[in-house]
Amino acid sequence: MLDWLRKRAEAAQRRLAAAPGRDLPPGAASPPASGEAAARIATPTPAAVPDRPAHAAALAAGRPAEAQALAQRAVESAPDDIEAWVTIARVAVDRRRAADARRAIERLRALPAAGGRADWLAGLLEHQAGRREAAEAAYRTALGIDPMLADARFQLARLQREAGRWEEAIDSCRAAVAADPLHAEAQADLGAMLRDRGQGDAALPHLRAAVDADPRLARAWFNLALAQIDAAQWAPAAQSLERLVALEPRQAEAHHWLGHARMALGEPDAARAAYAAALAADAGFLRARWALAMAQIDPVPGSLQAEATSRAAFAQALERLTTWMRTRAPADAFEAVAVAQPFYLAYQDENPRELLAQYGRLCATAMAAWARKAGLGAPPAGAPGRRPLRVGIVSAHLHDHSVWNAIVRGWVEHADRSRVEFHLFALGGHEDDETAFARRRAAGFHRLGAWPDAARALAAARLDAVIYPEIGMHTATAKLAALRLAPLQLASWGHPVTTGLPTIDVYIGAEALEPADADAHYTERLERLPRLGCTPRRYGVAPERIDLVGAGLQAGERVLLCPGNPFKYGPAHDPLWVEVARRSPQGRLVFFRGGPEGLADRFERRLRVAFEAAGLEFHAKVSMQPWQSRARFFGWLAAADVFLDSAGFSGFNTVMQAVECGTPIVTLEGPSMRTRFGAGVLRQLGLGEWVASDAAGYAERVARLVGDAALRADVSARLRSGARVLFEDRAASTACVDLLERLAAAPPAR
């Protein structure tokens, strides 16, 4: 079972690496920790089947010796007991006692009421001996006698699957479950095959039917969990994996995937416990070791001390992982790269450059070993002076997504195609109207498969340069970026922090967003495009009207909109929100419970503690709203009196949406790009007076807007009138092309 589950897990890892929006850990209900849950789950028993003989029940429950003894007693008292002879034959086949099996089969042949079961069992013997043609003939003979014999249909499906005859195998499994919906193995195999072919929605009902019919069927629980993960059903996936580890406590793969599910649910403590359990079961399990290191970063730390402890734990775990990989030099190290990523490190205030540099070297070393083995040599130098340049953009978000809307769309839409050809390389299968727009505007659009095939495709494309707009947000993107697939490789601020990768030459920033000392934040060479460096998309969304009283606000309260995901709000800034509430008594802070739900719960608990410690009633000053559709979010922007940009990690897209709606904005400028998006936007609009440099200044600006309707109207009018400057800044695309031409002519030294 272990080898089978490991192969299935490796296939699942490849599928998730190519799938959109399945990054781990972020990627996103409060089930208990894995160890506690496993202790409480009683060992399940097979579903009851009406009139099932005791020997058949014992066989189904995995007690062959008991089944054999019960069946033998049954035939001693009733020599023509067909079901007992079937059990005897099955036990003999399973125990590889061919002579005993043949005697039982011949006894069945003498019983006309046995139908095709003798031939089915004979087929099992031939199949076990490796005589596939004879086995198939026997199965088909059995079905000729009894077309509704589900066991024969199921075994025929297995034989067809082994031969790579997938469509036939699926058809045979469908026939088996039509004949017997309680045939757990047929349901399980049908679900697994459908999932492998990308039909996850169709697979789920069959996998659920399998575990309902036989709760002891480990592979059904495993495939059900993976199908649920494919569908981002993290809580059900965690429950399925808990059932699996209750059945097989030493199953390392199950614990590993349980860790992913727990991390996606916003339960880092439970995730770490699951990864540790995987390593306890298999100390050489590198993917679990890697994931455990990344899981040390707490997405929503409970205090500043907890944040510091989390960071220190990550640094120590990263050092241990580096030492382990250097001393062991595992041949499959590349499989672990980016199975989980230090995504949440960017949401802490300290400069992560040194930690990410160590992480980047680890990734690049492992991926370089794979490249040598795969025969991928260094890419040839670009053709000097070639026009147009061939530039690839590799992304999992070439659709309606913040990375596309803010950065990539404008470059592609407005670039001079006589100077540069943008070839878009899409990871994952997500398609929408923006994807169709991308196909029309780009010189080429390529849908990539699993990362090894994607790496070969990119190398074969002979690009002058390749841009990765959002390294750190998607598994396959991170693997590819850790390879050298073009002579010039660039990153940008879809995930606004250095990549740490020695394979990335240049980081594309923007003059309005970077501080004077920004070079110290990057391992790459930083290049600043003018102003915002992009042409952000105007959404043009019709706001959905928000019933504020129905949403729990009091009539007359001023709406102070706080739009960030919970993990954007670090504990260092909790006093800021308390001070805002204190300085604006008629205001109500409105936060949104973005996923994972567990992180929203932790943020709410921590913020409540801060308010109560300050003597403020939390629910009188703060409203926690569900995550909103775009139209409803624009409705909240229209209803808001002030937009409170998140401190510690500013929100570019949400700030631009507030600009579009004319909602007055207050922001706190910090020391790095990720803390300066709001400040950069406001200064470009000539509204720098609403950029604060400290918490007191932030709260004071909010209070001024809350208390002065005329001031709010003036700021709103200035936002609306200046918005065109930002939404139609095509010069950013020209500057991007200029930069690419300059770098292609004189690549940065490595």
Side-chain angles (χ1 to χ4, degrees), residues 482-493:
L483 294 165
R484 174 60 68 175
L485 300 172
L488 174 64
Q489 304 197 150
L490 308 95
S492 194
W493 47 273

Side-chain angles (χ1 to χ4, degrees), residues 31 41 221 228 234-244 258 261-262:
I41 296 174
W221 283 114
Q228 289 163 331
W234 295 105
Q239 293 166 5
S240 296
L241 289 162
E242 294 283 9
R243 297 297 296 269
L244 177 54
L258 180 58
R262 290 296 181 203

